[in-house]
Coordinates of all heavy atoms in Angstrom, one line a residue:
M213 N 0.9 -1.2 0.0 CA 0.0 0.0 0.0 C 0.9 1.2 0.0 O 1.8 1.3 0.8 CB -0.9 0.0 1.2 CG -2.0 1.0 1.3 SD -3.1 0.9 2.7 CE -3.9 -0.7 2.5
N214 N 0.7 2.1 -0.9 CA 1.5 3.3 -1.0 C 1.1 4.3 0.1 O 0.1 4.2 0.8 CB 1.5 4.0 -2.4 CG 0.2 4.5 -2.8 OD1 -0.6 5.0 -2.0 ND2 -0.1 4.5 -4.1
C215 N 1.9 5.4 0.2 CA 1.7 6.4 1.3 C 0.4 7.1 1.2 O -0.3 7.3 2.2 CB 2.9 7.3 1.3 SG 3.1 8.2 2.8
V216 N 0.0 7.5 0.0 CA -1.3 8.2 -0.2 C -2.5 7.3 0.2 O -3.4 7.7 0.9 CB -1.4 8.7 -1.6 CG1 -2.8 9.3 -1.9 CG2 -0.4 9.7 -2.0
D217 N -2.5 6.0 -0.2 CA -3.5 5.1 0.2 C -3.5 4.9 1.7 O -4.6 4.8 2.3 CB -3.3 3.8 -0.5 CG -3.6 3.8 -2.0 OD1 -4.3 4.8 -2.4 OD2 -3.1 3.0 -2.8
M218 N -2.3 4.8 2.3 CA -2.3 4.6 3.8 C -2.9 5.8 4.5 O -3.6 5.6 5.5 CB -0.8 4.4 4.2 CG -0.7 4.0 5.6 SD -1.5 2.5 6.1 CE -0.5 1.3 5.3
I219 N -2.6 7.0 4.1 CA -3.1 8.2 4.7 C -4.6 8.2 4.6 O -5.4 8.4 5.6 CB -2.5 9.5 4.1 CG1 -1.1 9.6 4.4 CG2 -3.3 10.7 4.5 CD1 -0.3 10.7 3.7
R220 N -5.2 7.8 3.4 CA -6.6 7.7 3.2 C -7.2 6.7 4.2 O -8.3 6.9 4.8 CB -6.9 7.3 1.8 CG -8.4 7.4 1.4 CD -8.7 7.0 0.0 NE -7.8 7.8 -1.0 CZ -7.0 7.2 -1.8 NH1 -6.8 5.9 -1.8 NH2 -6.3 7.9 -2.6
E221 N -6.6 5.5 4.3 CA -7.1 4.5 5.2 C -7.1 4.9 6.7 O -8.0 4.6 7.4 CB -6.3 3.2 5.0 CG -6.5 2.5 3.6 CD -7.9 2.0 3.4 OE1 -8.5 1.6 4.3 OE2 -8.3 2.1 2.2
I222 N -6.0 5.6 7.1 CA -5.9 6.1 8.4 C -7.0 7.1 8.7 O -7.7 7.0 9.8 CB -4.5 6.7 8.7 CG1 -3.4 5.6 8.7 CG2 -4.5 7.5 10.0 CD1 -2.0 6.1 8.7
K223 N -7.2 8.0 7.8 CA -8.3 9.0 8.0 C -9.7 8.3 8.1 O -10.5 8.7 8.9 CB -8.2 10.1 6.9 CG -7.1 11.0 7.0 CD -7.1 12.1 5.9 CE -5.9 13.0 6.1 NZ -5.9 14.1 5.2
D224 N -9.8 7.3 7.2 CA -11.1 6.6 7.2 C -11.3 5.9 8.6 O -12.4 5.9 9.1 CB -11.1 5.6 6.1 CG -12.5 5.0 5.7 OD1 -13.5 5.7 6.1 OD2 -12.6 4.0 5.1
A225 N -10.3 5.2 9.1 CA -10.4 4.5 10.4 C -10.6 5.5 11.5 O -11.4 5.2 12.4 CB -9.1 3.8 10.7
I226 N -10.0 6.7 11.5 CA -10.3 7.7 12.5 C -11.7 8.2 12.4 O -12.4 8.3 13.5 CB -9.3 8.9 12.4 CG1 -7.9 8.4 12.8 CG2 -9.7 10.0 13.3 CD1 -6.8 9.4 12.5
G227 N -12.2 8.4 11.2 CA -13.6 8.9 11.1 C -14.7 7.9 11.3 O -15.7 8.2 11.8
T228 N -14.5 6.6 11.0 CA -15.5 5.6 11.1 C -15.3 4.5 12.1 O -16.2 3.7 12.4 CB -15.8 4.9 9.7 OG1 -14.6 4.2 9.3 CG2 -16.1 6.0 8.6
G229 N -14.1 4.4 12.6 CA -13.8 3.3 13.5 C -13.3 3.9 14.9 O -13.8 4.9 15.3
A230 N -12.5 3.1 15.5 CA -12.0 3.5 16.8 C -10.5 3.3 16.9 O -10.0 2.1 16.7 CB -12.6 2.7 17.9
V231 N -9.7 4.3 17.1 CA -8.2 4.2 17.1 C -7.7 5.0 18.3 O -8.4 5.9 18.9 CB -7.6 4.8 15.9 CG1 -8.0 4.0 14.6 CG2 -7.8 6.2 15.7
T232 N -6.5 4.6 18.8 CA -5.8 5.4 19.8 C -4.7 6.1 19.0 O -4.0 5.5 18.2 CB -5.2 4.5 20.9 OG1 -4.3 3.6 20.3 CG2 -6.3 3.8 21.6
I233 N -4.4 7.3 19.4 CA -3.4 8.1 18.8 C -2.3 8.5 19.8 O -2.7 9.1 20.8 CB -3.9 9.4 18.1 CG1 -4.9 9.0 17.0 CG2 -2.8 10.2 17.5 CD1 -5.6 10.1 16.3
G234 N -1.1 8.1 19.6 CA 0.0 8.4 20.5 C 0.5 7.1 21.2 O -0.2 6.1 21.3
S235 N 1.8 7.1 21.6 CA 2.4 5.9 22.1 C 1.8 5.5 23.5 O 1.6 4.4 23.8 CB 3.9 6.1 22.2 OG 4.3 7.3 22.9
R236 N 1.6 6.5 24.4 CA 1.1 6.2 25.7 C -0.3 5.6 25.7 O -0.6 4.6 26.3 CB 1.1 7.4 26.6 CG 2.5 7.6 27.2 CD 2.5 8.8 28.2 NE 3.2 9.9 27.5 CZ 2.8 11.1 27.5 NH1 1.8 11.6 28.2 NH2 3.5 12.0 26.8
T237 N -1.2 6.2 24.9 CA -2.6 5.7 24.9 C -2.6 4.3 24.1 O -3.4 3.5 24.5 CB -3.5 6.7 24.2 OG1 -3.0 7.0 22.9 CG2 -3.7 7.9 25.0
T238 N -1.7 4.2 23.2 CA -1.7 2.9 22.4 C -1.2 1.8 23.3 O -1.7 0.7 23.3 CB -0.8 3.0 21.2 OG1 -1.4 4.0 20.3 CG2 -0.7 1.7 20.4
L239 N -0.1 2.1 24.1 CA 0.4 1.1 25.0 C -0.6 0.7 26.1 O -0.8 -0.5 26.4 CB 1.7 1.6 25.8 CG 3.0 1.4 25.0 CD1 4.1 2.1 25.8 CD2 3.3 0.0 24.8
S240 N -1.4 1.7 26.6 CA -2.4 1.4 27.6 C -3.5 0.5 27.0 O -4.0 -0.4 27.6 CB -3.1 2.7 28.1 OG -2.1 3.4 28.8
A241 N -3.9 0.8 25.7 CA -4.9 0.0 25.0 C -4.4 -1.4 24.8 O -5.2 -2.3 24.9 CB -5.4 0.7 23.7
C242 N -3.2 -1.5 24.5 CA -2.6 -2.9 24.3 C -2.7 -3.7 25.6 O -3.0 -4.9 25.6 CB -1.1 -2.8 23.8 SG -0.9 -2.3 22.1
A243 N -2.3 -3.0 26.7 CA -2.4 -3.7 28.0 C -3.8 -4.1 28.3 O -4.0 -5.2 29.0 CB -1.8 -2.8 29.1
R244 N -4.8 -3.4 27.9 CA -6.2 -3.8 28.2 C -6.7 -4.8 27.1 O -7.9 -5.2 27.2 CB -7.1 -2.5 28.2 CG -6.8 -1.6 29.3 CD -7.9 -0.5 29.4 NE -7.9 0.3 28.2 CZ -7.2 1.4 28.0 NH1 -6.3 1.8 28.9 NH2 -7.3 2.1 26.9
G245 N -5.9 -5.1 26.1 CA -6.4 -6.0 25.1 C -7.3 -5.5 24.1 O -8.1 -6.2 23.4
E246 N -7.4 -4.2 23.9 CA -8.3 -3.5 23.0 C -7.8 -3.3 21.6 O -8.6 -3.0 20.7 CB -8.7 -2.1 23.6 CG -9.3 -2.1 24.9 CD -9.5 -0.8 25.5 OE1 -8.9 0.2 25.0 OE2 -10.3 -0.6 26.5
V247 N -6.5 -3.5 21.4 CA -5.9 -3.2 20.1 C -5.5 -4.5 19.4 O -4.9 -5.3 20.1 CB -4.7 -2.2 20.3 CG1 -3.9 -2.0 19.0 CG2 -5.1 -0.9 20.9
S248 N -5.7 -4.6 18.1 CA -5.3 -5.8 17.4 C -4.2 -5.4 16.4 O -3.5 -6.3 16.0 CB -6.4 -6.4 16.7 OG -7.1 -5.5 15.8
L249 N -4.0 -4.1 16.1 CA -3.0 -3.7 15.1 C -2.4 -2.4 15.6 O -3.2 -1.5 16.1 CB -3.6 -3.5 13.7 CG -2.7 -2.8 12.7 CD1 -1.6 -3.7 12.3 CD2 -3.6 -2.4 11.5
V250 N -1.1 -2.2 15.6 CA -0.4 -1.0 15.9 C 0.4 -0.5 14.7 O 1.2 -1.3 14.1 CB 0.5 -1.1 17.1 CG1 1.3 0.2 17.3 CG2 -0.3 -1.5 18.4
L251 N 0.1 0.7 14.2 CA 0.8 1.3 13.1 C 1.9 2.2 13.8 O 1.6 3.0 14.6 CB -0.1 2.2 12.3 CG -1.3 1.5 11.6 CD1 -2.2 2.5 10.9 CD2 -0.8 0.4 10.7
L252 N 3.2 2.0 13.3 CA 4.3 2.7 13.9 C 4.9 3.6 12.8 O 5.0 3.2 11.6 CB 5.3 1.7 14.4 CG 4.9 0.7 15.4 CD1 5.9 -0.4 15.5 CD2 4.7 1.4 16.7
S253 N 5.4 4.8 13.2 CA 6.1 5.7 12.3 C 7.4 5.1 12.0 O 7.9 4.2 12.7 CB 6.2 7.0 12.9 OG 7.1 7.0 14.0
A254 N 8.0 5.5 10.9 CA 9.3 5.0 10.4 C 10.4 5.3 11.4 O 11.4 4.5 11.6 CB 9.7 5.6 9.1
N255 N 10.3 6.4 12.2 CA 11.3 6.7 13.2 C 10.8 6.6 14.6 O 11.2 7.3 15.5 CB 11.8 8.2 13.0 CG 10.7 9.2 13.0 OD1 9.5 8.9 13.0 ND2 11.1 10.5 13.2
C256 N 9.9 5.6 14.8 CA 9.4 5.3 16.1 C 10.5 4.8 17.0 O 11.4 4.1 16.6 CB 8.3 4.1 16.0 SG 7.6 3.6 17.5
P257 N 10.5 5.3 18.3 CA 11.6 4.9 19.2 C 11.6 3.4 19.4 O 10.6 2.7 19.5 CB 11.2 5.6 20.5 CG 10.3 6.7 20.2 CD 9.5 6.2 18.9
S258 N 12.8 2.8 19.4 CA 13.0 1.4 19.4 C 12.5 0.8 20.8 O 12.1 -0.4 20.8 CB 14.5 1.0 19.2 OG 15.3 1.6 20.1
D259 N 12.6 1.6 21.8 CA 12.1 1.1 23.1 C 10.6 0.9 23.1 O 10.1 -0.1 23.7 CB 12.5 2.0 24.3 CG 12.0 3.4 24.2 OD1 11.8 3.9 23.1 OD2 11.8 4.0 25.2
L260 N 9.9 1.7 22.4 CA 8.4 1.5 22.2 C 8.1 0.2 21.5 O 7.3 -0.6 21.9 CB 7.8 2.6 21.5 CG 6.3 2.5 21.2 CD1 5.4 2.4 22.4 CD2 5.8 3.7 20.3
V261 N 8.9 0.0 20.4 CA 8.7 -1.3 19.6 C 9.0 -2.5 20.4 O 8.2 -3.4 20.5 CB 9.6 -1.2 18.3 CG1 9.5 -2.5 17.6 CG2 9.2 -0.1 17.5
S262 N 10.1 -2.5 21.1 CA 10.5 -3.7 21.9 C 9.5 -3.9 23.1 O 9.2 -5.0 23.4 CB 11.9 -3.5 22.5 OG 12.1 -2.4 23.3
N263 N 9.0 -2.8 23.7 CA 8.0 -2.9 24.7 C 6.7 -3.6 24.2 O 6.2 -4.6 24.9 CB 7.7 -1.5 25.3 CG 6.8 -1.6 26.5 OD1 6.2 -2.6 26.9 ND2 6.7 -0.4 27.2
I264 N 6.3 -3.3 23.1 CA 5.1 -3.9 22.5 C 5.3 -5.3 22.2 O 4.5 -6.2 22.4 CB 4.5 -3.1 21.3 CG1 4.0 -1.7 21.8 CG2 3.4 -3.8 20.7 CD1 3.6 -0.8 20.6
V265 N 6.5 -5.6 21.5 CA 6.8 -7.0 21.1 C 6.9 -7.9 22.3 O 6.4 -9.0 22.3 CB 8.2 -7.0 20.3 CG1 8.7 -8.4 20.1 CG2 8.0 -6.3 19.0
E266 N 7.6 -7.4 23.4 CA 7.8 -8.2 24.6 C 6.5 -8.5 25.4 O 6.2 -9.6 25.8 CB 8.8 -7.6 25.5 CG 10.2 -7.7 24.9 CD 11.2 -6.8 25.7 OE1 10.9 -6.4 26.9 OE2 12.3 -6.6 25.2
K267 N 5.8 -7.4 25.6 CA 4.6 -7.5 26.5 C 3.3 -7.9 25.8 O 2.4 -8.3 26.5 CB 4.4 -6.2 27.3 CG 5.6 -5.9 28.2 CD 5.4 -4.6 29.0 CE 6.5 -4.3 29.9 NZ 6.4 -3.1 30.6
H268 N 3.2 -7.6 24.5 CA 2.0 -7.9 23.8 C 2.2 -8.6 22.5 O 2.1 -8.0 21.4 CB 1.3 -6.5 23.6 CG 1.2 -5.7 24.8 ND1 0.3 -6.0 25.8 CD2 1.8 -4.6 25.2 CE1 0.5 -5.1 26.8 NE2 1.3 -4.2 26.4
P269 N 2.7 -9.8 22.5 CA 3.0 -10.5 21.3 C 1.8 -10.8 20.4 O 2.0 -11.1 19.2 CB 3.7 -11.8 21.8 CG 3.1 -12.0 23.1 CD 2.9 -10.6 23.7
E270 N 0.6 -10.7 20.9 CA -0.6 -11.0 20.1 C -0.9 -9.8 19.1 O -1.7 -9.9 18.2 CB -1.7 -11.3 21.0 CG -2.3 -10.1 21.7 CD -1.5 -9.6 23.0 OE1 -0.5 -10.3 23.3 OE2 -1.9 -8.6 23.6
V271 N -0.3 -8.6 19.4 CA -0.6 -7.4 18.6 C 0.2 -7.4 17.3 O 1.4 -7.6 17.4 CB -0.4 -6.2 19.4 CG1 -0.6 -4.9 18.6 CG2 -1.3 -6.1 20.6
V272 N -0.4 -7.2 16.2 CA 0.3 -7.1 14.9 C 0.9 -5.7 14.8 O 0.3 -4.7 15.0 CB -0.7 -7.3 13.7 CG1 0.0 -7.1 12.4 CG2 -1.3 -8.7 13.8
L273 N 2.2 -5.7 14.5 CA 2.9 -4.4 14.3 C 3.2 -4.2 12.9 O 3.7 -5.0 12.2 CB 4.2 -4.4 15.1 CG 4.2 -4.6 16.6 CD1 5.5 -4.7 17.2 CD2 3.4 -3.5 17.2
H274 N 2.9 -3.0 12.4 CA 3.2 -2.6 11.0 C 3.9 -1.2 11.0 O 3.3 -0.2 11.4 CB 1.9 -2.5 10.2 CG 2.1 -2.3 8.8 ND1 2.3 -3.3 7.9 CD2 2.2 -1.2 8.0 CE1 2.5 -2.8 6.7 NE2 2.4 -1.5 6.7
Q275 N 5.1 -1.2 10.5 CA 5.9 0.0 10.5 C 5.6 0.7 9.1 O 5.7 0.1 8.1 CB 7.3 -0.2 10.7 CG 8.1 1.1 10.9 CD 9.4 0.9 11.6 OE1 10.0 -0.1 11.4 NE2 9.9 1.9 12.3
L276 N 5.2 2.0 9.2 CA 4.9 2.7 8.0 C 6.1 3.4 7.4 O 7.2 3.5 8.1 CB 3.9 3.8 8.4 CG 2.6 3.3 9.0 CD1 1.8 4.5 9.5 CD2 1.8 2.5 8.0
A277 N 6.0 3.9 6.2 CA 7.1 4.5 5.5 C 7.2 6.0 5.9 O 8.2 6.7 5.5 CB 7.0 4.4 4.0
M278 N 6.2 6.5 6.6 CA 6.2 7.9 7.0 C 6.8 8.2 8.4 O 6.6 7.3 9.2 CB 4.8 8.5 6.8 CG 3.7 8.0 7.6 SD 2.1 8.7 7.2 CE 1.4 7.4 6.3
V279 N 7.4 9.3 8.5 CA 8.0 9.6 9.9 C 6.9 10.2 10.8 O 5.8 10.5 10.3 CB 9.1 10.7 9.7 CG1 10.3 10.0 9.0 CG2 8.7 11.9 9.1
N280 N 7.2 10.3 12.0 CA 6.2 10.7 13.0 C 5.5 12.0 12.7 O 4.3 12.2 13.0 CB 6.7 10.7 14.4 CG 7.9 11.5 14.6 OD1 8.4 12.3 13.8 ND2 8.5 11.5 15.8
R281 N 6.2 13.0 12.2 CA 5.6 14.3 11.8 C 4.5 14.1 10.8 O 3.4 14.7 10.8 CB 6.7 15.3 11.4 CG 6.1 16.7 11.2 CD 7.2 17.7 10.8 NE 8.3 17.6 11.8 CZ 9.6 17.7 11.5 NH1 10.0 18.0 10.3 NH2 10.5 17.6 12.5
D282 N 4.8 13.3 9.7 CA 3.9 13.0 8.7 C 2.7 12.2 9.2 O 1.6 12.4 8.7 CB 4.6 12.3 7.5 CG 5.6 13.2 6.8 OD1 5.5 14.4 6.9 OD2 6.5 12.6 6.2
L283 N 2.9 11.3 10.1 CA 1.9 10.5 10.7 C 0.9 11.4 11.5 O -0.3 11.2 11.4 CB 2.4 9.4 11.5 CG 1.4 8.3 12.0 CD1 0.6 7.7 10.9 CD2 2.2 7.3 12.8
G284 N 1.5 12.3 12.2 CA 0.6 13.3 12.9 C -0.2 14.1 12.0 O -1.4 14.3 12.3
T285 N 0.3 14.5 10.9 CA -0.4 15.3 9.9 C -1.5 14.4 9.3 O -2.7 14.9 9.1 CB 0.5 15.8 8.8 OG1 1.5 16.6 9.4 CG2 -0.3 16.6 7.8
A286 N -1.2 13.1 9.0 CA -2.2 12.2 8.5 C -3.4 12.0 9.4 O -4.5 11.8 9.0 CB -1.6 10.9 8.1
C287 N -3.1 12.1 10.7 CA -4.2 11.9 11.8 C -4.9 13.2 12.0 O -5.8 13.3 12.8 CB -3.5 11.5 13.1 SG -2.8 9.8 13.0
G288 N -4.5 14.3 11.4 CA -5.1 15.6 11.6 C -4.7 16.3 12.9 O -5.4 17.1 13.4
K289 N -3.5 15.9 13.4 CA -3.0 16.5 14.6 C -1.9 17.4 14.4 O -1.1 17.2 13.4 CB -2.5 15.3 15.5 CG -3.5 14.3 15.9 CD -4.7 14.9 16.7 CE -5.7 13.9 17.0 NZ -6.9 14.5 17.6
P290 N -1.7 18.5 15.2 CA -0.7 19.5 15.0 C 0.6 19.0 15.7 O 1.5 19.9 16.0 CB -1.2 20.7 15.6 CG -2.1 20.2 16.7 CD -2.7 18.9 16.2
F291 N 0.8 17.8 15.9 CA 2.0 17.3 16.6 C 2.4 15.9 16.0 O 1.7 15.3 15.3 CB 1.8 17.1 18.1 CG 0.5 16.4 18.5 CD1 0.5 15.0 18.6 CD2 -0.6 17.1 18.8 CE1 -0.7 14.3 18.9 CE2 -1.8 16.4 19.2 CZ -1.8 15.1 19.2
S292 N 3.6 15.5 16.4 CA 4.1 14.2 15.9 C 3.4 13.0 16.6 O 3.1 13.1 17.8 CB 5.6 14.1 16.2 OG 6.3 15.1 15.5
V293 N 3.2 12.0 15.8 CA 2.6 10.8 16.4 C 3.5 9.6 16.0 O 3.8 9.3 14.9 CB 1.2 10.6 15.7 CG1 0.6 9.2 16.1 CG2 0.2 11.7 16.2
A294 N 3.9 8.8 17.1 CA 4.8 7.7 16.9 C 4.0 6.4 16.6 O 4.5 5.5 16.0 CB 5.7 7.5 18.0
A295 N 2.8 6.3 17.2 CA 2.0 5.1 17.1 C 0.5 5.3 17.1 O 0.0 6.3 17.7 CB 2.3 4.2 18.3
I296 N -0.2 4.5 16.4 CA -1.6 4.5 16.3 C -2.1 3.0 16.6 O -1.6 2.1 15.9 CB -2.1 4.9 14.9 CG1 -1.7 6.3 14.5 CG2 -3.7 4.8 14.8 CD1 -2.0 6.7 13.1
G297 N -3.0 2.9 17.5 CA -3.6 1.6 17.8 C -4.9 1.5 17.2 O -5.8 2.4 17.3
V298 N -5.2 0.4 16.5 CA -6.5 0.2 15.8 C -7.3 -0.7 16.6 O -7.0 -1.9 16.8 CB -6.3 -0.4 14.4 CG1 -7.6 -0.5 13.7 CG2 -5.4 0.6 13.5
K299 N -8.4 -0.2 17.2 CA -9.3 -1.0 17.9 C -10.4 -1.5 17.0 O -10.8 -2.7 17.0 CB -10.0 -0.1 19.0 CG -9.1 0.4 20.1 CD -9.9 1.3 21.0 CE -9.1 1.8 22.1 NZ -9.9 2.6 23.1
D300 N -10.9 -0.6 16.2 CA -12.0 -1.0 15.2 C -11.6 -0.2 13.9 O -11.5 1.0 14.0 CB -13.3 -0.6 15.7 CG -14.5 -0.7 14.7 OD1 -14.3 -1.5 13.7 OD2 -15.5 -0.1 14.9
A301 N -11.4 -0.9 12.8 CA -11.0 -0.2 11.6 C -12.1 0.5 10.9 O -11.8 1.2 9.9 CB -10.4 -1.3 10.6
G302 N -13.3 0.4 11.3 CA -14.4 1.0 10.7 C -14.5 0.5 9.2 O -14.5 -0.6 9.0
S303 N -14.7 1.5 8.3 CA -14.8 1.1 6.9 C -13.4 1.0 6.2 O -13.4 0.9 5.0 CB -15.8 2.0 6.2 OG -15.3 3.3 6.2
S304 N -12.4 1.2 6.9 CA -11.0 1.2 6.3 C -10.6 -0.3 6.2 O -11.2 -1.2 6.7 CB -10.0 1.9 7.2 OG -9.7 1.2 8.3
E305 N -9.5 -0.5 5.5 CA -8.9 -1.8 5.2 C -7.7 -2.0 6.1 O -6.8 -2.9 5.7 CB -8.6 -2.0 3.7 CG -9.8 -1.9 2.8 CD -10.8 -3.0 3.0 OE1 -10.3 -4.2 3.2 OE2 -12.0 -2.7 2.9
L306 N -7.5 -1.3 7.2 CA -6.3 -1.4 7.9 C -6.0 -2.7 8.5 O -4.9 -3.2 8.6 CB -6.2 -0.3 9.0 CG -6.0 1.1 8.6 CD1 -6.1 2.1 9.8 CD2 -4.7 1.3 7.8
L307 N -7.1 -3.4 8.9 CA -6.9 -4.7 9.6 C -6.4 -5.8 8.6 O -6.1 -6.9 9.0 CB -8.1 -5.2 10.3 CG -8.4 -4.3 11.6 CD1 -9.7 -4.8 12.3 CD2 -7.3 -4.3 12.5
T308 N -6.4 -5.5 7.3 CA -5.9 -6.5 6.4 C -4.3 -6.4 6.2 O -3.7 -7.2 5.6 CB -6.5 -6.3 5.0 OG1 -6.1 -5.0 4.5 CG2 -8.0 -6.4 5.0
L309 N -3.7 -5.4 6.9 CA -2.3 -5.2 6.8 C -1.6 -6.4 7.6 O -2.1 -6.8 8.6 CB -1.8 -3.9 7.4 CG -2.2 -2.6 6.7 CD1 -1.8 -1.4 7.5 CD2 -1.5 -2.6 5.4
E310 N -0.5 -6.8 7.1 CA 0.3 -7.8 7.8 C 1.4 -7.2 8.5 O 1.8 -6.1 8.2 CB 0.9 -8.8 6.7 CG -0.2 -9.6 6.0 CD 0.4 -10.6 5.0 OE1 1.7 -10.7 5.0 OE2 -0.3 -11.2 4.3
G311 N 1.8 -7.8 9.6 CA 2.9 -7.3 10.4 C 4.2 -7.3 9.6 O 4.5 -8.3 8.9
N312 N 5.0 -6.3 9.8 CA 6.3 -6.3 9.1 C 7.4 -6.1 10.2 O 8.5 -5.8 9.8 CB 6.4 -5.2 8.0 CG 6.1 -3.8 8.5 OD1 5.9 -3.6 9.7 ND2 6.0 -2.9 7.6
L313 N 7.1 -6.3 11.4 CA 8.1 -6.3 12.5 C 7.8 -7.5 13.4 O 6.7 -8.0 13.5 CB 7.9 -5.0 13.4 CG 8.3 -3.7 12.8 CD1 8.0 -2.6 13.7 CD2 9.8 -3.7 12.4
S314 N 8.8 -8.0 14.1 CA 8.6 -9.1 14.9 C 8.7 -8.7 16.4 O 9.2 -7.7 16.7 CB 9.5 -10.2 14.6 OG 10.8 -9.8 14.6

């Protein structure tokens, strides 16, 4: 999926589904078992990735080609976003993404 399609899918999930935006809220949602997919920015901190991999192996991790500033813009936020947790994809196709991190 190219970057433009990914941005469209993220906006669709935010508008029609349920997502968490930001690393802290995404980690909390993972701990509660609410998230099935986590989208990570290309420059996501490695400690966040290792934390999710170690503590929540059931969660699918997909690293995007866009950096955190671009991911924040895609979410409609005026700040950088390192992680997005997908609770409900709504009418988007985000849950069809396969994990590309272990």
Side-chain angles (χ1 to χ4, degrees):
M213 190 177 295
N214 67 33
C215 201
V216 174
D217 291 338
M218 185 60 70
I219 291 170
R220 187 179 312 117
E221 293 295 324
I222 290 170
K223 287 182 179 184
D224 195 20
I226 291 171
T228 63
V231 299
T232 60
I233 297 174
S235 55
R236 277 183 253 141
T237 57
T238 299
L239 277 174
S240 296
C242 285
R244 292 188 301 272
E246 298 174 347
V247 173
S248 55
L249 169 70
V250 174
L251 302 174
L252 302 166
S253 66
N255 60 342
C256 180
S258 59
D259 60 331
L260 174 64
V261 176
S262 61
N263 188 347
I264 296 173
V265 168
E266 290 171 12
K267 295 182 179 178
H268 311 289
E270 73 283 357
V271 176
V272 176
L273 298 176
H274 186 86
Q275 190 158 31
L276 303 170
M278 61 184 104
V279 295
N280 56 5
R281 187 175 308 144
D282 296 335
L283 187 54
T285 301
C287 294
K289 301 297 180 188
F291 49 83
S292 298
V293 172
I296 299 173
V298 180
K299 297 178 180 181
D300 175 18
S303 61
S304 75
E305 299 293 323
L306 288 179
L307 292 181
T308 62
L309 292 174
E310 295 181 7
N312 58 4
L313 291 175
S314 55

